[in-house]
Amino acid sequence: MVTCALPLLSDKMAVAAGSGCLRPGVGTEIILPGVKVPRNFRLLEELEEGQKGVGDGTVSWGLEDDEDMTLTRWRGMIIGPPRTIYENRMYSLKVECGPRYPEAPPFVRFVTKINLNGVHNSNGVVDTRAVSALAKWQNSYSIRVVLQELRRLMMCKENMKLPQPPEGQIYTN
Amino acid sequence: MEDNGGEDPVNNNNNTTVSSEGSIIKVTVKTPKDKEEIAISEDASVTQFKEEISRRFKAKQDQLVLIFAGKILKDGDSLNQHGIKDGLTVHLVIKTAHKAGDGASSSTSCTSQVGSSSGSSSGPSSAAHSSSVGSTGGPVSAPPQTPNILTGFGDLSSLSSMGMGSANFMELQQQMQSQLMSNPEMLSQIMENPLVQNMMSNPDLMRQMIVANPQMQQLMERNPEISHMLNNPELMRQTMELARNPAMMQEMMRNQDRALSNLESIPGGYNALRRMYTDIQEPMFSAARDQFGNNPFSALGGNSDGGVQPSRTENREPLPNPWGPPSSTDPSEGGGGTGTTGSSTAGSTNPSVSNPLAVNSASLGNGMFSSPGMQSLMQQISENPQLMQNMLSAPYMRSMMQSLAQNPDMASQNPASSPSTGTNPAQQLMMQQMLQMFAGGNASSQTPEVQFQQQLEQLGAMGFINREANLQALIATGGDVNAAIERLLGSQPS
């Protein structure tokens, strides 16, 4: 059905001030400026969102260990976007929210082996400078935002065709 | 205050309805496209959960991958272990062995039940059919004895059972497109759909789709700029951003329109625009829209073909002054050997050097003809007799003339009877011939006052008492009462 709409749109090829692939999302909570939400509040909220499946269902996150009272260690899952080399694969990640979260960005690393720009090949650690959500972290961002950003990276032209290791391999360290 | 010992108010098993152990919880299972609520026992294992899901989503159990809170649920685990409780959401991914677009294997696996020859009959529209065949595999395989014809019908019937009712994929596409055009909401709805947006965010896919259109391919051959445009991924991406955001799109269109109208006002700009249009946009337009039949610009474009020679040169003629008094140059000046530069047609405009046919541009009237571009075109044509011949001999001109004829303002008066042509019989004859060709003529012999009498009366009845002003307005608008009123109101002090 989009093929029908396309020729109509292609008539007016204008050069817009384009935005690239990267555009971190903003959380949907009501943010009052100047109010600092305590860390645990935030993390509990994110926990709930993770369990309720807020978002489009392409990423998932939750506590690694349900008994973890510090809410530090989290697990994330990214479903490989369609029509890319990552399609049909599930990528597991570890997310660590330090004591200064949400003022400081979390540490993210892939558990499932992946070939993606910005992810270290040896250990799956995500380079903070490569992901704009981490590089320009704001306290309104969340784990979901980071995961969605990584997913968007997978859809970028430079990444979507990178050859991938066989499915199911994980980083050992 | 009797303590009712039997009932424990803090009983956890309030909602026990089934005999299985534990209570039933309702878990939402979400796929990127779908969402279902599944009731399952709290103590169930992941395997049992998957059984239920495979039934509901009609997929095989081993194709299901469940994710909760960032962890994959393995078959050996239990729901409890992962903390899955009532009202929570589990993500589901159904692993397909092959992509949805590639229907070959699914259709062969389905039609193999009905006979191997059916594959060929569903060949042409297999893309459309494969998904439907896959899902309605059951009913289609019902009559296994008659392959070929019946399976052909079977495929079609399954399509129609999907509610589309059209056998031909092209037709389908056309219908879709016309629906889309008539219903802008639907278009925006389609754009909102995350699936569509996903597809649109893939520049390669878009490119393939565009290139697949054979007319587009032709166009690309003719105009290398277009293929260059398509090959530029940055541009594609930006265009898709644009396409995704209808508000931005409108803004862009508005800017472009403004730019175009600016261009038009530059001398010679109109011709440049027309050139650009015929070279690039018209074929693109027709390629995209010929399913509709009506290229809205085709009439205009067809007209300009007749005038294509003079359009290559800059039009230096001053545009006619629609409000000014008829130019009073010597009417017989144009008389000469050439036929078309004959004397006056005794229209409301006396012929001038540049306007020998006394084409009263104002009276040519409504719509596109009253654009200054069109008027200048007419003038150029009237200057160049050869061109006139060419133009008139073209078939589409005849139809245009006929439509002109139907315009009541251009009553087919016989100008030959007018006093000014009486002096020269040759010219008179010429005029008659001209008029025959014009099939109805394009200027009336009456003075504007008489010509617009009815409209003048209307205006008078409405309260516009200044006959002079009314007349001017009517002349300017070619007899259009509404437009004349606007003009009058615009010029009157409040």
Side-chain angles (χ1 to χ4, degrees), chain B residues 457-471:
Chain B
E457 279 173 18
Q458 278 181 344
L459 287 176
M462 279 190 247
F464 294 104
I465 40 184
N466 186 348
R467 259 180 93 80
E468 267 308 306
N470 292 355
L471 197 54

Side-chain angles (χ1 to χ4, degrees), chain B residues 315-322 361 371-377 379:
Chain B
N315 172 22
R316 290 216 162 81
E317 283 303 328
L319 296 177
N321 179 0
S361 13
S371 79
M374 200 55 192
Q375 289 168 0
S376 65
L377 176 65
Q379 282 175 10

Side-chain angles (χ1 to χ4, degrees), chain B residues 83-100:
Chain B
I84 298 176
K85 302 199 179 32
D86 188 32
L88 297 183
T89 301
V90 172
H91 295 290
L92 171 69
V93 177
I94 302 179
K95 283 182 151 198
T96 49
H98 36 258
K99 296 190 196 159

Side-chain angles (χ1 to χ4, degrees), chain A residues 51-53 55 60 63 161, chain B residues 30 69-71 89 95 204 249:
Chain A
Q51 290 178 338
K52 293 226 178 98
S60 171
L63 274 181
K161 295 214 177 108
Chain B
K30 208 169 168 190
K71 294 191 210 124
T89 301
K95 283 182 151 198
D204 259 8
M249 175 77 143

Side-chain angles (χ1 to χ4, degrees), chain B residues 334-370:
Chain B
T338 54
T340 52
T341 56
S343 62
S344 70
T345 53
S348 47
T349 321
N350 287 334
S352 66
V353 174
S354 61
N355 192 0
L357 281 182
V359 171
N360 184 351
S361 13
S363 79
L364 273 183
N366 332 342
M368 50 182 174
F369 289 99
S370 53

Side-chain angles (χ1 to χ4, degrees), chain B residues 391-407:
Chain B
M391 204 172 84
L392 286 176
S393 58
Y396 45 73
M397 278 311 274
R398 288 201 191 277
S399 48
M400 183 177 96
M401 287 307 165
Q402 276 162 18
S403 56
L404 264 182
Q406 279 154 24
N407 188 330

